[in-house]
């Protein structure tokens, strides 16, 4: 069975600090996909990134960066120079290949990030 | 309209009422989903539709009844709900059911059962 663990329930930082959100996953599949979503107070989950298990190249998008390490089954998310607008709940999610579980997207429990001015 | 829309955004209903939640996606996707998000709990997948056919029902009580008349619209019909059904109900869509495709979510309906 697949599982996603986000051990940090809440993180509070001061604006302009860098912050890393941890995500550890479990899967028996060799082909899988990892995602990060942001849920601001308005409620809508916003898709941030998808990674497949064959691509361990780290990615940077503006102030956001993602570190995928298969050896430790981790897919961590770093926000550089955080801003108040980054305050939200962030979810890491895992999807296995179609052949094993179809479309099931397993979410972690989320990390509430609060960025204080 | 773009993306995934949901109506109403907020709903208060009594336990004997019947109401429906509506979801519409403008992305040309073939798969749609209903999720329940309760306080302090992970997102729970309720139903999956692929090309208007229900392909997954995760042991959801019969007081929740989904309907997918076409690939762009998804409904969740509610009747005789319980207070523990109060939650945020999120609709999502994806290109198809395969796990490689990200899901796009609507803003949710905040449901309160009194």
């Amino acid at each position: 069975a697949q599982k996603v663990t986000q051990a940090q329930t809440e993180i509070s930082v001061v604006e302009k600090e860098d912050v890393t959100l941890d995500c550890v996953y479990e899967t028996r599949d060799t082909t899988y996909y990892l995602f990060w979503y942001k849920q601001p107070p308005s409620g809508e989950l916003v898709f941030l990134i998808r990674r497949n298990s064959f691509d361990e190249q780290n990615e940077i998008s503006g102030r956001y960066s993602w570190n995928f390490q298969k050896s430790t089954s981790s897919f961590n998310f770093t926000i550089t120079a955080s801003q108040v607008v980054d305050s939200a709940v962030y979810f890491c999610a895992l999807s296995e290949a179609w052949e094993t579980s179809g479309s099931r997207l397993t979410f972690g429990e989320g990390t509430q990030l609060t960025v204080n001015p | 309209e773009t993306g995934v829309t949901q109506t109403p955004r907020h709903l208060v209903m009594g336990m004997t009422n019947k109401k429906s939640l509506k979801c519409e996606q403008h992305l040309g996707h073939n798969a749609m989903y209903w999720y329940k998000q309760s306080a302090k709990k992970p997102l729970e997948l309720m139903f999956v539709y692929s090309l208007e056919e229900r392909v997954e029902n995760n042991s959801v009580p019969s007081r929740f009844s989904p309907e997918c008349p076409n690939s762009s619209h998804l409904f969740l019909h509610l009747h005789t709900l319980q207070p523990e059904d109060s939650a945020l109900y999120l609709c999502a869509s994806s290109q198809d059911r395969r796990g490689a495709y990200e899901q796009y979510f609507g803003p949710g309906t905040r449901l309160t059962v009194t």
Side-chain angles (χ1 to χ4, degrees), chain A residues 37 39 50 95 103-104, chain B residues 37 56 58 97 102-103:
Chain A
Y37 284 86
Q39 188 176 36
R50 178 190 68 203
S95 178
S103 60
R104 182 171 292 274
Chain B
Q37 186 178 30
E56 191 162 343
N58 289 318
R97 280 193 62 211
E102 62 271 20
Q103 295 178 19

Side-chain angles (χ1 to χ4, degrees), chain B residues 47-92:
Chain B
F47 301 103
V48 180
Y49 275 82
S50 177
L51 296 171
E52 301 135 50
E53 178 185 346
R54 189 192 308 180
V55 295
E56 191 162 343
N57 173 353
N58 289 318
S59 303
V60 179
S62 60
R63 56 186 184 269
F64 295 92
S65 175
E67 177 190 1
C68 188
N70 55 62
S71 60
S72 298
H73 293 86
L74 185 64
F75 294 90
L76 188 63
H77 304 299
L78 316 171
H79 65 96
T80 58
L81 295 190
Q82 304 298 311
E84 60 265 28
D85 297 322
S86 297
L88 180 67
Y89 288 85
L90 292 160
C91 173

